[in-house]
């Protein structure tokens, strides 16, 4: 007959603290790895909820429960819902940048390369239209600083101007790439509202890119 021993379940917060401080083999702390994994779980949980019910579905307690973390832990990583929205947007941008690195646009002109990137981003976002709508609308109304505009501007500069970085770009180049990114966001919103088709967006983005990026 097998003997069983009663155990007392530790609160989730205690477990998380124990994992963070537990030394890994070789004397290295598991803190960094466990924090990264926990943050990723939280962001994925938030994105999954938003994809079904928009930002309204991203209630902090619900996100914490879905991610399997204590509510206090969630607030340590993301003090507000908008911070969480920004993190989800960052995750989407990471995926886009990884796609561009794996398969850089090969068109001959700066405008065509920029259009390639923006239409790839459009296709990616429209796979989850509820999520895309929630994120874009929230970012427009955001009261916290978001990296969205700068990252899209930087990506457009890299693909259209032979790897040019934001730090090395002139004010005019930044304005041109930033203006194209803004046009794309507005067109994407119109598509989410049902006022544009994919083909219409592509045509309008092509026109804007040709006017803005020729000679960049």
């Amino acid at each position: 007959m097998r003997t069983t021993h009663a155990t007392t379940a530790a609160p989730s917060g205690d477990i998380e603290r124990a994992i963070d401080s537990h030394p890994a083999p070789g004397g290295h702390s598991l803190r960094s790895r466990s924090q990264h994994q926990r943050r990723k779980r939280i962001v994925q949980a938030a994105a999954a909820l938003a994809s079904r019910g928009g930002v309204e579905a991203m209630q902090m307690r619900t996100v914490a429960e879905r991610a399997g973390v204590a509510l206090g832990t969630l607030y340590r990583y993301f003090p507000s819902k908008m911070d969480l929205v920004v993190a989800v947007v960052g995750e989407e941008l990471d995926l886009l940048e990884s796609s561009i690195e794996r398969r850089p646009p090969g068109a001959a002109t700066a405008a065509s390369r920029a259009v390639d990137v923006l239409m790839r981003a459009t296709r990616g976002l429209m796979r989850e239209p509820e999520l895309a709508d929630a994120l874009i609308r929230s970012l427009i109304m955001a009261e916290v600083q978001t990296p969205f505009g700068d990252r899209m501007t930087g990506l457009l500069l890299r693909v259209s101007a032979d790897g040019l970085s934001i730090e090395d770009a002139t004010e005019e180049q930044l304005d041109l790439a930033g203006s194209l990114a803004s046009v794309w966001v507005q067109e994407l919103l119109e598509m989410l509202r049902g006022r544009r088709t994919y083909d219409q967006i592509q045509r309008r983005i092509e026109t804007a890119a040709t006017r803005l990026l020729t000679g960049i």
Side-chain angles (χ1 to χ4, degrees), residues 136-186:
I136 295 295
R137 289 177 188 274
S138 294
L139 287 176
I140 288 174
M141 301 178 67
E143 295 180 359
V144 299
Q145 185 175 3
T146 69
F148 185 73
D150 286 346
R151 286 188 65 178
M152 284 304 298
T153 298
L155 183 55
L156 289 173
L157 282 173
R158 290 200 299 277
V159 301
S160 63
D162 297 324
L164 182 67
S165 69
I166 283 183
E167 292 75 19
D168 295 329
T170 65
E171 186 173 346
E172 182 182 18
Q173 288 169 325
L174 286 171
D175 288 345
L176 292 170
S179 294
L180 181 58
S182 297
V183 169
W184 171 70
V185 170
Q186 183 60 42

